[in-house]
Amino acid sequence: MESDDRYRDALQTCLARYDRIDVVAAAARAQAALRLAHRTRPDVAVVDAGLAGSVTGVELGLRLQRARPEMGMVLLATQRDPVCLAELLLEKRAGWSCLVKSPAIDGEILRRAVEGAAAGLLVLDPALGASLGLHRPRRASRELPRLTPRRREILDRMARGYSNGAIAEYLGISRKSVENQVNLLYQELGIGRSGELQPRVQAVLLYLGRQPGKD
């Protein structure tokens, strides 16, 4: 759901290349998006932060997810508009992906964002993270001192929406090794599996400088 017709068409074309993703509706305005979402009940909504009209993309996404908490959100924003991410982190919502809106759509990044949102994860475009001072090695080292460089790298990929299998492929190690490192990462960060948020979401929130469950 995006405000510019050509860009919206390009997004649909990009997503249509993936067998596991079906585009069920598209809208240029918030009210139309709300009506279509109610009718089609999508698993994920892709929303432009610069949506035309009185309702912003962030507000639209929050309204959609309040109506259907299980719905994932992919928010497209510019690097000049990082407020969207700050609002989402204050809401402490899982099932959100925040990507840079770029004329050159990276299909793999978009796919990971959609699949991560559908799985209830929190996915951040590294370019947006940089605009907010996130994903910087010095900050990560200061806030997560217990993690080894390898586990920090794995956590960075988790924040970008990589699955364990994709992390294993990126690092050239086995999936089992990644799973072991992720479990150790959770232990070192004091993350349990009985909380309201998934451990993966808790870890990403910590990486972004937030404390899960706290303002």
Side-chain angles (χ1 to χ4, degrees):
M1 301 171 185
E2 208 275 345
S3 55
D4 180 82
D5 290 343
R6 287 177 295 180
Y7 197 77
R8 185 170 63 250
D9 291 344
L11 285 172
Q12 292 182 77
T13 299
C14 179
L15 290 170
R17 299 203 306 260
Y18 299 100
D19 294 337
R20 296 176 58 186
I21 298 176
D22 293 319
V23 179
V24 297
R29 299 280 177 172
Q31 291 304 317
L34 288 165
R35 289 194 299 269
L36 284 169
H38 178 73
R39 185 194 314 161
T40 60
R41 303 180 67 80
D43 296 318
V44 176
V46 180
V47 181
D48 184 1
L51 195 68
S54 59
V55 178
T56 69
V58 174
E59 291 169 340
L60 172 60
L62 291 173
R63 288 189 191 184
L64 288 168
Q65 202 175 54
R66 286 180 187 127
R68 291 190 62 217
E70 72 277 11
M71 185 190 300
M73 296 291 152
V74 176
L75 188 69
L76 304 175
T78 68
Q79 289 175 284
R80 298 184 302 275
D81 184 31
V83 67
C84 66
L85 181 58
E87 288 188 40
L88 296 184
L89 292 179
L90 286 173
E91 288 277 345
K92 296 180 290 297
R93 289 180 178 271
W96 280 82
S97 297
C98 200
L99 302 182
V100 168
K101 181 181 175 182
S102 170
I105 301 171
D106 187 316
E108 282 303 304
I109 290 178
L110 183 59
R111 178 190 62 79
R112 286 199 302 270
V114 169
E115 292 181 349
L121 302 179
L122 178 64
V123 178
L124 173 66
D125 190 311
L128 275 178
S131 72
L132 291 174
L134 305 173
H135 294 317
R136 291 179 181 172
R138 283 183 298 178
R139 176 166 181 165
S141 297
R142 185 171 64 251
E143 294 186 351
L144 305 172
R146 290 167 289 183
L147 297 184
T148 64
R150 171 51 58 87
R151 288 169 200 158
R152 233 177 268 134
E153 188 173 20
I154 288 174
L155 182 52
D156 179 76
R157 292 291 142 179
M158 289 165 62
R160 298 171 190 240
Y162 280 61
S163 66
N164 286 353
I167 294 172
E169 183 177 353
Y170 175 80
L171 296 177
I173 61 179
S174 70
R175 180 169 182 154
K176 183 64 175 177
S177 294
V178 172
E179 291 171 352
N180 290 338
Q181 291 292 321
V182 168
N183 287 331
L184 290 170
L185 184 155
Y186 292 157
Q187 291 177 27
E188 291 180 356
L189 295 180
I191 293 173
R193 298 180 180 273
S194 59
E196 181 180 348
L197 293 176
Q198 295 184 40
R200 211 173 186 92
V201 174
Q202 295 181 57
V204 171
L205 285 171
L206 285 170
Y207 186 53
L208 298 180
R210 301 289 303 175
Q211 290 294 322
K214 298 181 181 179
D215 291 333

